[in-house]
Amino acid sequence: MSTAILTGPPVAGSPLEADLRTLGFDVRTANDAASAAELLAAVPAQERVAVVDPRFVGHLHALRLALTDPRFPAAAVPGALTAQPAARAALARAFGRIPVGAGTAHLTDVLTDTLTESLDRDETGLHRVELGSLVATVALTPAQREDARAAVAAVDDEAVRLRTAVKSRDGFFTTYCISPYSRYLARWCARRGLTPNQVTTASLLTALIAAGCAATGTRGGFIAAGFLLLFSFVLDCTDGQLARYSLQYSTMGAWLDATFDRAKEYAYYAGLALGAARGGDDVWALALGAMVLMTCRHVVDFSFNEANHDATANTSPTAALSGKLDSVGWTVWVRRMIVLPIGERWAMIAVLTAFTTPRIVFYALLIGCALAACYTTAGRVLRSLTRRARRTDRAAQALADLADSGPLAELIAGRARGRGRTGSFLAPVMAFLSAAVLLVWVIFQDDPTSWLTVGVAVCSALLAGAAVARPLKGALDWLVPPFFRAGEYVTILVLAARTDVPGALPAAYGLVAAVAYHHYDTVYRIRGGTGAPPRWLVRATGGHEGRILVITVLAAALSPSGFTIALTALAVALALLVLIESIRFWVSSQAPAVHDEGEPA
């Protein structure tokens, strides 16, 4: 139960108390600031507290946004503010700053406004709600009250609530083919007490059933798989819209939403590969290639965004051109579709699954995602070269965490520290060479499963250590993590494919999936502001260079069938290790509530 303190002149016949109780607040009244402060002190420290002026006039949804959103320690609209436990001390200090005696009436006439300004100065993370067409005001006279009530009646707050349940920026397919009706599904779920986490889980189960249908290898199974994949995406949109509609944000929801999209997509790839195998067509290499390409694309996105998250002087002619293109309606949608976001991608996969073969699905996916990756990466390289941004220590640390360097690279970096210049192109060049040396060898060597490959892996680790020896603050240093990811994932793919043993590629698929999960988990922890996973976990997983070295040793020391067994065992061990730690973190009270208004994945 939360507590709302009404402090100010009472208003007869106001529906305010009923609205507050509808929102789950226990309503108490205070005659002045001193009695309100006493009521605040009496409320248990673990409860949310709201302070509301009885003369408040506005939409119920305006109150809901100000008083019930769990993502912010404090929030306010005119006439109402709230403080969660983390901001309760700041609210108590704000009450303590209010003077008493003659000449202070202007501070207590609208007490909520005075408290809001004080919280803002205290830097408590106060969120001022953007109301848009919603109304929230303090009516000081009967005439103002009548005008405010007329303004409230002129705007349908339920229509506003439905509209704002949809992301402000999304892909073309999602915006025009899913959201027009999924928002009503979200409202239906809210009215029946369903939670976003339940809808997210239903979306995952639907996608897994779709993968199972695809694994049958029959035309009927492929048609059912395509339909179920689209329905899974509808539910995927609905869970976020339900969270925004009912303001049900949670740490568990953040983790589920952050990981289930990739789990669904990669499970579906595996289902397609199994279905193709039933028909005599081995497409595991294509499935693994699609997963590698998709993950590397996302790493490029994450690294670039983290490198420029809080950069200063962050301007460039390329960014200015992009802004101009965004001012023309049709170019906005073309540019959003070119990058093949999740809506367009899943629609393409679903339709091609139903009407073609898994091989064609993967060919289309690889070509489309490769073109999208070239487009986005080229644009970001141009922006990085033409802008004169100064990157912070926080950004450098985020890139170092995304690099996922293990003990071997740390040792090499420690010996190489002090050489080279921070801000130069040395880091991305070393990272590129680290991946390129290894990939050229394993791709073009007649027998890459040899001890010579182990020596090449050691050279790759030396270059990787040199790449992270200095803070990653250069213009193109955000390319370091993607180069490392490509080197590791493609090496696993090629070594498994060259063994020419049934089961090697599926085992490699499982291993890359486990490692990719670890990398996605790192990204969303950084986005939530809690930093990367603990160092013990990174060291236990070996880091990217340690895993490569272990895999090349296994390939050289074991027979092809033994190598397949080793890949399987390694995949299981890594999956258990990273999943247990990830689940422990995301269900803990320290895990952050992640905002979900970012770019479409």
Side-chain angles (χ1 to χ4, degrees), residues 288-324:
L288 181 50
M291 180 166 66
V292 168
L293 179 57
M294 190 62 57
T295 305
C296 289
R297 267 193 66 191
H298 287 143
V299 173
V300 168
D301 296 341
F302 298 144
S303 296
F304 179 81
N305 291 335
E306 288 303 324
N308 296 282
H309 180 267
D310 49 7
T312 57
N314 200 6
T315 59
S316 76
T318 308
L321 175 61
S322 178
K324 290 181 179 179

Side-chain angles (χ1 to χ4, degrees), residues 496-520:
R498 296 292 291 274
T499 60
D500 199 25
V501 171
L505 279 169
Y509 191 94
L511 177 57
V512 172
V515 176
Y517 177 86
H518 168 58
H519 292 144
Y520 280 113

Side-chain angles (χ1 to χ4, degrees), residues 25 48-51 66-68 73-76 80-84 87 91 119 126:
F25 284 90
R48 176 195 289 266
V49 174
V51 181
L67 305 184
T68 67
L81 67 94
T82 186
Q84 293 202 66
L91 181 59
L119 286 175
L126 176 74

Side-chain angles (χ1 to χ4, degrees), residues 101-141:
T104 64
H106 67 287
L107 295 175
T108 57
D109 185 34
V110 183
L111 180 61
T112 52
D113 289 354
T114 301
L115 294 172
T116 298
E117 293 299 328
S118 182
L119 286 175
D120 212 359
R121 290 193 300 270
D122 229 9
E123 297 184 356
T124 58
L126 176 74
H127 172 64
R128 293 182 181 267
V129 178
E130 294 183 10
L131 292 170
S133 59
L134 294 173
V135 176
T137 187
V138 176
L140 302 179
T141 67

